[in-house]
Amino acid sequence: IWVREYMTRPMQFMRRKVFELLQKTPTPTLPCAAMHVRRTDAVLENWINKRNYFELGDYVKRLNGPKRRKPDYFKSVVLLTDDQSVIDEAHEFHASLPWVYVNRIRHRGTEGGYDGHIPSGDPIHEIAVILVEMKLASQCERLIFTQSGYKDLLIQAIHIEQDVDQRKKFSKMQIDHNRQPDKKLKNAQSAEDFFAKLNEKRAPKVLQNASGETK
C-alpha cells in the first residue's frame, strides 16, 4: 500500500493547495464520524441502478449502532457533500450536531446538470477539496454513505491513512443497502419531489419563526 501511495502522491503544487485548504478548514474533534451525502446529478443517471436522494436524517440515524455507540459518542461529524442543500439541511434540522466541512462552492440539487462536477470552475481546486475531505474522513471511526463509485475511493484512502488500531475501530454503514430507488420517477422529478417534501417539513418552522417575530 505504501509503495502505491508514494508512486501516486500529488505533485508539490497540489500538496501546497491541500495544506492551505486544510489550514482554513476546522479540525474534527475525535472521535468523529464521516458522512458522504451524494446528491446533485445522482438522480439524473439513466442507469439500471438509478439512485434517489436521501434526507440527511437517514444518515444521522446511523450515528448510533451497530457497535451501540452512545448518542454523544462522536464529538464531531465530518460532512462530505457536493450539494449545498445538504449543508442547509444540516444547520436547519440537525443544528445540535458538531458539523465539520470544507467551505467551498457547491451546486444545489440538479442545477449543475449531468456530470457537472466543477461548480467552482476550477478543476485543480476541486481536486484539492477531494483530497482534503479524504484526509478529514480518515480521522474518523465511522463512514456513513450511499452507493457510489466515489465511496470506494474514499474507503481506500481512509485505509491508507489509518494505522492498524484505527482500522480495527473503523466501521462502514451504507444507508441504501436493500433499498430500491423509485424507478417510476423520471430523472429530475425525483429530486423535485424530494425537495418538495423537505419544504413541507420546513413550513412549520418558518411559521413558528414568523409568529415569534411578530410578538
Side-chain angles (χ1 to χ4, degrees), residues 50-68:
K50 184 178 177 181
R51 292 178 285 181
N52 286 348
Y53 291 167
F54 291 91
E55 289 188 27
L56 186 59
D58 289 326
Y59 296 77
V60 171
K61 291 175 184 175
R62 270 66 176 189
L63 287 175
N64 303 326
K67 295 184 178 181
R68 303 298 180 186

Side-chain angles (χ1 to χ4, degrees), residues 10-25 124-125 127-133 135:
M11 297 179 69
Q12 181 62 34
F13 80 93
M14 180 59 75
R15 294 203 291 270
R16 182 67 188 179
K17 282 188 172 293
V18 169
F19 172 79
E20 291 174 349
L21 189 54
L22 275 171
Q23 301 309 300
K24 301 175 183 177
T25 303
I124 293 176
H125 174 72
I127 294 299
V129 167
I130 290 173
L131 294 175
V132 166
E133 289 187 336
K135 286 185 175 296

Side-chain angles (χ1 to χ4, degrees), residues 7 9 19 21 31 42 46 74 88 136 138 155-156 176 180 183-184 200 205 208 214:
M7 293 176 64
R9 71 194 187 282
F19 172 79
L21 189 54
N46 276 321
F74 294 112
D88 297 343
L136 294 176
S138 68
I155 291 171
Q156 185 180 67
D176 58 347
Q180 295 298 319
K183 296 181 180 180
K184 295 178 182 178
E200 288 178 4
K205 296 183 68 176
Q208 183 179 9
T214 57

